[in-house]
């Protein structure tokens, strides 16, 4: 207690000396000479205050506790007085440097549209919100701290001469000394470094200018043009970043150069200034307007601003030097995340994004060519071909890994664009809220639309018709394409950087303000170590490249940490279930159609003919049964139509399901339903071989997919002597020996008892 009281008294005495110097007209010449002792006492007061705060008060006399609290209050007051004095000095020195600079760009020169399509062009914020705007000087803000017309023009902190620059550096050093307790630890996570109060002080006049121009009802205060605020702030930051290099020695004197670099700190302060204007003025007005296009345009502009400022703030992606924070770290405190600060803002934005996504989805699905094969797989994009039977683009759908529709590629692009928003939401709960409200909601609506379209054909009992097979195939291909891309890459949420925003090198330059290179004699670590993101290897991640950009995918043990991969895996699972379900339904419909077309072949009157000897007596002279020919032609047409409409994976699953169903039909309804003569058995074998040839173009061994029918036709077409010998062997031998005897005749599927039952049908 006594130490605290003595320290406070010493600080007050030092403040009197400082005040006396400030009253002198030439205070800047010898101010620093009297600052040493007050600054030392300032630190002692802070340490004594912290120590006293940790002393348990229980059991102490009330008088002593109250005395300590009064001392703490006096100490805090003395500290504030010293800070106020230093800030006055800082403001005076800044005025000598003609700070603040004017805001030079006039965004009123050209008005941009609110809404940019996410269908025809990437609505990613990389599309510069201010592109094409001309420049003209804004009316300067004449307020305390601004340079007046008689004071000259801003040309850097060193333009006022070496004496003023030296005093400015010393003043910055003193203010850093007052914040030294907070800055003692350099182990801060990415983007959670404490703001330097001295830089905030320097930036306050620019914040006042931003408020004046964009939050005071002036013509530039346009709720439908948030990019004017963003672009003006980014331009002011970029143009003045270089000037802060000359103030860096004040940071180096404290040994903080590996953590704080003043040009980057100025950019951080400008970022915070913009957020202040947003919180005070822009977002409340947006919530009152409740217009969808205003919110979505704000989000586009906010992300564009974040990408510009991330480079100016020194937060760029360096794969070789990253920390543990992971790929979302640079989203902390973004202007997009700021929307979640108030429930009304969050609800309005998420609702607007969801409605906009649904509109974009409707635009995609309402296109005339939405369900045509994408030009990217069918030929030249300049000459898209309709998705219909008979077209030939030089590519065969069933030989391609994917055969996406135009809708599939646009939906994937839309999903990608929507989901990249999550990069700028660092909090997992905020990301989850956004993903559930926007991308997942959009995908659910898309799946519902697909289900309704497919159900229409089913309800019309026309699923296997030539008109509907290409349409159902298009829906199936679309689902398969989207399922693969969601499963393979978990693409949108773990995007590290996209093709339009590649990670810049440490030498990257933006206009006239390059990011400082490293190493440098004065700043050995221009990019602080704890401003680097984690490497893929350290996170257990692997890279994956797509046409849209480079992705980072989580290994199995890290997937749970993202909290979002599961959401997209669920969507992928639903899409996978859809295409498999409808591929089987389509296969079943085609098999049923074959059954209907082959009814005359299965009539008892025709089956009875297999038992007579009216067929050709010469082996090899058999021709396919006329009663089966119509069914085989229809099946061949349907399978060829599937082959021209489905990608390789989907087609393989579909034709195999058709083969399984028809094999069951022919085996159960023909091969086991009547008696056969030797000639009738050969006729059945001929019919079966003709059936197999329908699938010959798509597999080397089509008969392998008709195992029971193939084995039955082989047994029924055996020569009479071979047939009797095999029957005797099967009746008198064990099952194992019977299997060996069957293998000698090429019978691989049927068990000995089944084979014997088939042979007993021979006359």
């Amino acid at each position: 207690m006594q130490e605290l009281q003595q320290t406070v008294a010493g600080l007050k005495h030092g403040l009197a000396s400082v005040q006396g110097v400030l009253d002198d007209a030439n205070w800047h010449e010898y101010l620093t000479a009297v600052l040493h002792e007050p600054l030392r006492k300032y630190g002692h007061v802070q340490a004594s205050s912290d120590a006293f705060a940790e002393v348990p008060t229980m059991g102490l006399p009330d008088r002593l506790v109250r005395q300590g609290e009064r001392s703490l209050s006096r100490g805090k007051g003395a500290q504030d007085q010293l800070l106020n004095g230093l800030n006055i000095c800082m403001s005076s020195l800044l005025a000598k440097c003609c700070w603040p600079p004017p805001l030079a760009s006039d965004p009123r020169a050209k008005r941009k549209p609110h809404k940019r399509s996410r269908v025809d062009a990437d609505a990613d914020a990389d599309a510069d919100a201010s592109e094409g705007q001309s420049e003209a000087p804004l009316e300067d803000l004449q307020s305390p701290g601004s340079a007046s017309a008689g004071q000259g023009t801003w040309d850097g902190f060193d333009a006022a001469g070496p004496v003023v620059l030296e005093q400015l550096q010393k003043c910055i050093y003193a203010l850093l000394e007052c914040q030294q307790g907070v800055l003692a630890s350099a182990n801060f996570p990415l983007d959670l470094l404490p703001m330097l109060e001295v830089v905030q002080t320097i930036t306050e006049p620019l914040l006042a200018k931003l408020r004046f121009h964009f939050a005071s009802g002036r013509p530039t205060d346009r709720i439908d043009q948030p990019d004017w605020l963003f672009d003006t702030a980014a331009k002011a930051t970029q143009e003045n970043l270089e000037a802060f290099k000359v103030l860096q020695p004040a940071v180096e004197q404290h040994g903080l150069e590996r953590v704080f670099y003043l040009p980057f700190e100025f950019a951080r302060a400008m970022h915070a200034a913009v957020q202040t204007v947003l919180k005070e003025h822009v977002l409340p007005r947006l919530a009152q307007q409740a217009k969808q296009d205003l919110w979505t345009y704000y989000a586009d502009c906010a992300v564009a601003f974040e990408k510009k400022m991330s480079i100016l703030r020194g937060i760029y992606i360096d794969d070789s030097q990253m920390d543990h924070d992971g790929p979302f770290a640079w989203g902390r405190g973004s202007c997009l995340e700021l929307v979640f600060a108030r429930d009304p803002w969050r609800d309005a934005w998420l609702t607007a994004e969801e409605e906009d996504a649904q509109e974009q989805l409707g635009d995609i699905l309402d296109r005339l060519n939405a369900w045509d094969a994408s030009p990217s797989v069918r030929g030249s994009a300049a000459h898209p071909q309709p998705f219909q039977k008979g077209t030939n683009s030089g590519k065969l759908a069933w030989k391609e890994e994917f055969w996406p529709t135009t809708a599939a590629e646009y939906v994937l692009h839309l999903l990608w664009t929507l989901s990249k928003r999550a990069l700028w939401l660092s909090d997992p709960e905020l990301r989850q809220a956004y993903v559930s409200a926007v991308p997942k909601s959009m995908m659910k609506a898309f799946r519902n639309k697909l289900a309704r379209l497919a159900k229409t054909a089913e309800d019309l009992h026309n699923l296997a018709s030539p008109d509907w097979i290409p349409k159902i195939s298009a829906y199936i291909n679309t689902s398969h394409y989207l399922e693969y891309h969601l499963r393979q890459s978990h693409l949108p949420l773990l995007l590290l950087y996209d093709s339009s925003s590649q990670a810049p090198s440490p030498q990257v330059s933006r206009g006239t303000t390059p990011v400082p290179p490293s190493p440098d004699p004065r700043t050995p670590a221009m990019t602080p170590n704890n401003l680097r993101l984690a490497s893929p290897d350290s996170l257990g991640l692997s890279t994956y490249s797509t046409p849209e950009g480079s992705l980072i995918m989580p290994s199995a043990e890290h997937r749970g940490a993202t909290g979002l991969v599961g959401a997209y895996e669920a969507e992928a699972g639903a899409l996978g279930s859809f295409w498999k379900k409808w591929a089987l339904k389509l296969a079943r419909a085609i098999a049923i159609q074959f059954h209907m077309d082959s009814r005359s072949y299965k009539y008892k009157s025709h089956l009875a003919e297999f038992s007579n000897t009216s067929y050709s007596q010469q082996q090899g002279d058999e021709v396919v049964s006329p009663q089966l020919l119509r069914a085989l032609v229809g099946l061949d047409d349907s399978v060829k139509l599937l082959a021209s409409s489905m990608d390789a994976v989907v087609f393989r699953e579909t034709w195999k399901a058709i083969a399984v169903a028809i094999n069951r039909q022919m085996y159960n309804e023909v091969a086991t339903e009547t008696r056969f003569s030797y000639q009738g058995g050969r006729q059945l074998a001929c019919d079966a071989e003709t059936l197999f040839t329908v699938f010959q173009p798509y597999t080397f061994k089509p008969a392998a997919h008709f195992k029971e029918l193939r084995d039955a036709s082989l047994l029924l077409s055996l020569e009479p002597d071979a047939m009797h010998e095999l029957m005797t062997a099967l009746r008198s031998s064990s099952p194992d020996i019977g299997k060996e005897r069957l293998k000698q005749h090429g019978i691989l599927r049927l068990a000995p008892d089944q084979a014997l039952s088939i042979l007993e049908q021979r006359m």
Side-chain angles (χ1 to χ4, degrees), residues 262-409:
L262 284 185
F264 293 165
E265 293 307 304
F266 168 64
R268 291 178 67 205
M270 285 296 292
H271 184 268
V274 170
Q275 290 200 333
T276 299
V277 177
L278 294 175
K279 286 187 291 187
E280 293 176 350
H281 185 71
V282 176
L283 291 175
R285 288 185 64 197
L286 279 175
Q288 292 175 357
Q289 293 288 332
K291 291 184 179 180
Q292 169 194 316
D293 58 338
L294 296 182
W295 277 107
T296 54
Y297 190 60
Y298 166 82
D300 287 343
C301 296
V303 173
F305 175 70
E306 291 295 340
K307 288 192 174 184
K308 292 177 184 177
M309 295 298 290
S310 65
I311 297 176
L312 300 177
R313 292 157 64 196
I315 305 175
Y316 52 84
I317 301 166
D318 181 354
D319 289 344
S320 62
Q321 295 178 336
M322 297 177 171
D323 69 15
H324 63 278
D325 281 331
F328 294 104
W330 69 83
R332 286 201 187 114
S334 69
C335 294
L336 200 59
E337 196 167 73
L338 190 64
V339 171
F340 288 83
R342 300 285 187 276
D343 289 347
W345 304 349
R346 176 202 61 200
D347 295 342
W349 177 58
L350 291 180
T351 300
E353 288 284 345
E354 180 183 7
E355 292 176 354
D356 182 62
Q358 299 291 344
E359 290 181 8
Q360 299 285 349
L361 178 64
D363 292 342
I364 292 172
L365 302 184
D366 290 342
R367 291 175 173 231
L368 292 177
N369 65 339
W371 303 111
D372 294 349
S374 168
S376 65
V377 297
R378 291 198 59 80
S380 170
H383 303 284
Q385 301 180 22
F387 200 109
Q388 58 186 343
K389 181 181 177 182
T391 58
N392 180 16
S393 64
K395 291 186 177 181
L396 299 175
W398 70 274
K399 290 187 176 182
E400 300 294 326
E401 182 180 9
F402 298 105
W403 197 254
T405 60
T406 302
E409 293 188 344

Side-chain angles (χ1 to χ4, degrees), residues 408-717:
E409 293 188 344
Y410 275 124
V411 168
L412 182 63
H413 180 72
L414 175 59
L415 178 63
W416 182 284
T417 302
L418 292 173
S419 298
K420 282 194 290 186
R421 291 273 200 258
L423 283 171
W424 306 100
L425 302 173
S426 64
D427 188 291
E429 292 185 2
L430 304 188
R431 292 199 301 270
Q432 187 64 58
Y434 171 78
V435 169
S436 297
V438 186
K440 281 194 66 177
S441 176
M442 185 274 293
M443 288 303 297
K444 181 179 179 181
F446 174 67
R447 288 189 286 105
N448 290 339
K449 177 68 172 180
L450 277 181
R452 288 194 300 270
L453 290 171
K455 193 69 168 58
T456 299
E458 187 178 41
D459 292 343
L460 294 174
H461 305 287
N462 211 18
L463 207 60
S465 70
D467 292 332
W468 276 102
I469 284 178
K471 296 178 182 178
I472 299 297
S473 299
Y475 308 151
I476 293 172
N477 289 338
T478 297
S479 297
H480 176 233
Y481 177 79
L482 293 173
E483 181 215 8
Y484 173 84
H485 284 86
L486 284 175
R487 285 195 190 281
Q488 181 66 21
S489 57
H490 307 298
L491 76 176
L493 297 178
L494 296 176
L495 178 71
L496 184 59
Y497 49 88
D498 59 65
S499 56
S500 59
S501 178
Q502 293 296 331
S505 67
Q507 303 284 341
V508 72
S509 176
R510 300 278 289 194
T512 59
T513 308
V515 175
S518 180
D520 182 278
R522 283 158 43 92
T523 54
M526 294 300 185
T527 304
N529 288 336
N530 43 355
L531 289 183
R532 291 172 177 160
L533 303 175
S535 66
D537 292 339
S538 68
L539 283 170
L541 303 177
S542 59
T543 58
Y544 175 74
S545 296
T546 74
E548 296 283 354
S550 299
L551 306 181
I552 277 192
M553 299 189 305
S555 57
E557 61 270 22
H558 288 82
R559 288 184 183 178
T562 67
L564 293 173
V565 173
Y568 283 86
E569 286 182 340
E571 287 300 316
L575 289 166
S577 297
F578 175 88
W579 77 256
K580 290 170 185 174
K581 169 185 174 181
W582 284 97
L584 290 176
K585 283 193 173 189
L586 188 53
R588 179 174 177 270
I590 293 174
I592 291 174
Q593 187 62 48
F594 178 84
H595 172 74
M596 300 297 292
D597 292 343
S598 63
R599 282 181 299 180
S600 61
Y601 181 77
K602 301 169 186 175
Y603 286 157
K604 289 184 179 181
S605 58
H606 178 263
L607 292 179
E609 295 182 10
F610 284 109
S611 62
N612 60 44
T613 58
S614 62
Y615 290 105
S616 173
Q617 298 295 316
Q618 298 296 321
Q619 187 171 354
D621 292 343
E622 298 86 358
V623 294
V624 65
S625 299
Q627 296 86 344
L628 187 62
L629 188 58
R630 176 171 173 266
L632 291 175
V633 171
L635 177 64
D636 185 55
D637 288 343
S638 294
V639 174
K640 286 180 178 177
L641 192 52
L642 288 176
S644 68
S645 307
M646 288 183 166
D647 65 50
V649 175
V650 173
F651 177 64
R652 182 170 59 249
E653 296 297 321
T654 306
W655 76 253
K656 284 183 177 181
I658 295 172
V660 168
I662 294 178
N663 171 66
R664 188 178 300 113
Q665 289 178 26
M666 294 291 288
Y667 178 76
N668 292 332
E669 299 174 12
V670 179
T672 62
E673 283 297 311
T674 188
R675 295 182 64 82
F676 289 83
S677 64
Y678 170 55
Q679 292 82 2
R682 294 212 318 263
Q683 183 61 45
L684 176 64
C686 174
D687 293 342
E689 286 295 331
T690 307
L691 172 62
F692 302 159
T693 59
V694 172
F695 300 90
Q696 184 68 53
Y698 318 113
T699 178
F700 291 113
K701 296 180 179 180
H705 301 279
F706 296 84
K707 293 181 174 65
E708 288 81 5
L709 177 60
R710 171 187 170 277
D711 285 359
S713 63
L714 285 175
L715 288 170
L716 293 171
S717 61

Side-chain angles (χ1 to χ4, degrees), residues 197-233:
E197 295 175 359
V198 61
V199 179
Q200 288 179 296
T201 300
I202 296 174
T203 312
E204 281 178 2
L206 286 175
L207 171 59
K209 284 176 174 284
L210 293 176
R211 282 186 175 127
F212 177 77
H213 290 293
F214 302 105
S216 62
R218 296 179 59 80
T220 47
D221 180 10
R222 292 281 297 275
I223 194 62
D224 60 340
Q225 298 295 155
D227 53 312
W228 293 356
L229 167 63
F230 290 131
D231 291 345
T232 301

Side-chain angles (χ1 to χ4, degrees), residues 736-757:
D736 291 339
I737 296 176
K739 288 180 180 179
E740 291 299 323
R741 294 300 301 272
L742 289 173
K743 285 183 181 179
Q744 294 173 9
H745 292 276
I747 310 302
L748 304 176
R749 178 72 171 188
L750 296 179
D753 57 335
Q754 291 175 307
L756 185 59
S757 177

